[in-house]
Amino acid sequence: MHIQTAAHAFQTNGNATHWQEFGQGHINQTLKVTTDTGAEYILQRINQYVFHNPTQLMENACAITDFLRSKDPDPRHTLHFIPAKNGMGYFRDGNGEFWRMYEFVDGLSLDVPESEEDLYQSALAFGRFQMLLSDFPAESLYDTIPNFHNTEDRFRLLRASVEKDACGRLKNVAPELEYLLNHEELACTLQRMRESGLLPLRVTHNDTKLNNVLLDCNTRKPLCVLDLDTVMPGLSLYDFGDSIRFGASVGGEAGQDTYLDLHLFRIYTEGFLSAATNLTEKEIEMLPLSTFVITLELATRFLKDYLDGDLYFKTVHPEQNLERARTQIKLAADMLAKQADMAKIVSEIRCAAIK
Ligand code: ADP
Ligand code: GN1
Ligand code: MG
């Protein structure tokens, strides 16, 4: 009923007649909507447990899409919001839920790269995205999730959930907690470098999973970067590290036999460095460690959510967040073991680029 009301609240071409859950996002409720004229849209209910101020979130998203469109007018290259019938950029229903609608972009959103080329193209897309936003007025953006990649704060929040043990699950997580706390110091490296000004603050995407970029179904070239809810001032290394975590690992986000594929790391790094040409020496030096940092940080977030009772990430079974945390820890450990290999690859790519 609520979906129907929301689907009819926007200025669509024709009347919404069909809607179905769509995509693999962990945060918002996402539906594909079709109207009686055959027009297609994406309808989303904003997750207010995660995003406390949806109007600020929408202000950010509209400012970013306007800015991107001014640089590249191709309609399939930038998300396009559909205004609500009341003239607003979003619709608020009787229960206080916030909804927004976009043009549906017909492209591929992949959970696993189907070829090296797919991963390479996603690296170009995220690298270019960051470059396009390099002159965006960062001070005009709201922090949609304060301290989103502040790893020190993520550990503080994990400790608070351990203290509380709201669901009596603490007894199930001893080895995971031990690993995380033993590696806290190292995981906070980027945060400390950010605070001391060793790494430049940029406007970054902050959630660079492969499924947050759309590839053209025929050419398999990038169409559009999605999921702009966390575009905020941040480190280029968050974007790089998160893409490696998701796209260059094998076994899936909750799989038991995960590891970092160094060849895929090379492919993504080649693409990212060729598109994001503004990185400093320090940023490039930290690329290998960033993969570990962002992966361990996500492990703290999954473990915290498991302890809290699965309030933040969508789950389909009660052990899922614990499984996700275990997988991220395993992947982070592999990334730590492969620091020298990754550094060698980065240096080879740089030498090849100079020649
Ligand atoms: P979440 O924050 O929950 O991850 P996203 O904004 O990433 O939500 O949307 C979830 C998924 O829906 C994306 O990964 C993508 O597959 C699909 N999607 C989102 N917006 C569009 C769009 N405009 N056109 C086509 N697919 C989209
Ligand atoms: C969430 O929204 P989605 O599914 O693209 C999360 C990311 C995590 C990711 C793990 C706003 O991304 O930070 O890295 O899950 N997004 C938010 O899969 O918390
Ligand atoms: Mg997403």
Side-chain angles (χ1 to χ4, degrees), residues 215-261:
L215 301 180
D216 186 293
C217 302
N218 300 313
T219 65
R220 298 190 87 102
K221 300 264 188 258
L223 278 179
C224 177
V225 171
L226 307 171
D227 206 344
L228 306 178
D229 295 334
T230 52
V231 175
M232 286 181 282
L235 301 181
S236 60
L237 292 162
Y238 302 150
D239 283 4
F240 176 82
D242 205 32
S243 290
I244 297 296
R245 176 192 72 74
F246 192 83
S249 62
V250 173
E253 207 167 49
Q256 286 178 6
D257 298 315
T258 188
Y259 64 92
L260 171 72
D261 181 323

Side-chain angles (χ1 to χ4, degrees), residues 174-245:
E176 291 76 22
L177 200 55
E178 190 186 352
Y179 185 92
L180 291 175
L181 297 179
N182 282 343
H183 291 81
E184 178 174 2
E185 198 53 26
L186 185 60
C188 292
T189 307
L190 296 186
Q191 177 59 25
R192 282 195 305 272
M193 292 175 83
R194 174 177 172 164
E195 282 163 9
S196 63
L198 277 172
L199 295 168
L201 216 50
R202 304 179 183 281
V203 175
T204 48
H205 184 280
N206 295 307
D207 188 2
T208 50
K209 280 159 65 164
L210 181 66
N211 64 17
N212 284 333
V213 65
L214 283 178
L215 301 180
D216 186 293
C217 302
N218 300 313
T219 65
R220 298 190 87 102
K221 300 264 188 258
L223 278 179
C224 177
V225 171
L226 307 171
D227 206 344
L228 306 178
D229 295 334
T230 52
V231 175
M232 286 181 282
L235 301 181
S236 60
L237 292 162
Y238 302 150
D239 283 4
F240 176 82
D242 205 32
S243 290
I244 297 296
R245 176 192 72 74

Side-chain angles (χ1 to χ4, degrees), residues 4-228:
Q4 186 175 4
T5 309
H8 287 113
F10 290 86
Q11 298 179 28
T12 48
N13 176 349
N15 279 318
T17 47
H18 293 92
W19 40 88
Q20 62 190 51
E21 300 279 339
F22 192 79
Q24 300 298 324
H26 288 343
I27 304 295
N28 297 305
Q29 183 180 12
T30 303
L31 302 123
K32 184 177 173 189
V33 171
T34 314
T35 72
D36 52 12
T37 63
E40 294 177 316
Y41 300 93
I42 288 287
L43 176 68
Q44 272 184 333
R45 183 170 56 86
I46 297 172
N47 181 332
Q48 291 189 67
Y49 182 80
V50 170
F51 298 108
H52 298 169
N53 195 325
T55 48
Q56 289 185 353
L57 180 87
M58 288 308 292
E59 267 189 55
N60 272 11
C62 290
I64 292 154
T65 50
D66 287 349
F67 185 85
L68 293 172
R69 208 171 293 109
S70 72
K71 294 196 168 184
D72 178 354
D74 187 322
R76 295 212 302 161
H77 289 178
T78 305
L79 283 175
H80 180 77
F81 290 103
I82 307 295
K85 286 180 179 161
N86 63 14
M88 307 284 279
Y90 55 84
F91 168 70
R92 192 164 189 201
D93 71 18
N95 295 326
E97 298 286 359
F98 281 80
W99 299 82
R100 63 182 169 198
M101 189 178 259
Y102 318 87
E103 294 284 358
F104 174 75
V105 184
D106 195 9
L108 295 167
S109 161
L110 300 172
D111 292 307
V112 181
E114 288 172 7
S115 68
E116 289 173 8
E117 186 60 19
D118 287 346
L119 188 65
Y120 183 78
Q121 292 299 331
S122 76
L124 294 184
F126 284 126
R128 211 177 282 143
F129 182 84
Q130 195 189 279
M131 288 295 279
L132 284 174
L133 291 177
S134 58
D135 56 344
F136 184 92
E139 65 290 346
S140 68
L141 287 173
Y142 295 104
D143 265 354
T144 53
I145 303 179
N147 291 316
F148 189 53
H149 284 307
N150 178 340
T151 316
E152 286 173 356
D153 201 55
R154 291 293 179 186
F155 273 92
R156 182 185 66 77
L157 294 172
L158 174 63
R159 280 199 177 83
S161 294
V162 165
E163 254 334 89
K164 213 167 168 197
D165 190 19
C167 304
R169 289 174 164 182
L170 184 61
K171 59 183 183 312
N172 307 335
V173 308
E176 291 76 22
L177 200 55
E178 190 186 352
Y179 185 92
L180 291 175
L181 297 179
N182 282 343
H183 291 81
E184 178 174 2
E185 198 53 26
L186 185 60
C188 292
T189 307
L190 296 186
Q191 177 59 25
R192 282 195 305 272
M193 292 175 83
R194 174 177 172 164
E195 282 163 9
S196 63
L198 277 172
L199 295 168
L201 216 50
R202 304 179 183 281
V203 175
T204 48
H205 184 280
N206 295 307
D207 188 2
T208 50
K209 280 159 65 164
L210 181 66
N211 64 17
N212 284 333
V213 65
L214 283 178
L215 301 180
D216 186 293
C217 302
N218 300 313
T219 65
R220 298 190 87 102
K221 300 264 188 258
L223 278 179
C224 177
V225 171
L226 307 171
D227 206 344
L228 306 178

Side-chain angles (χ1 to χ4, degrees), residues 205 296 328:
H205 184 280
L296 207 73
Q328 298 306 301

Side-chain angles (χ1 to χ4, degrees), residues 262-281:
L262 283 169
H263 181 63
L264 293 180
F265 173 83
R266 182 187 293 276
I267 301 289
Y268 190 91
T269 308
E270 277 172 356
F272 193 75
L273 288 182
S274 76
T277 51
N278 57 347
L279 299 193
T280 63
E281 284 301 318

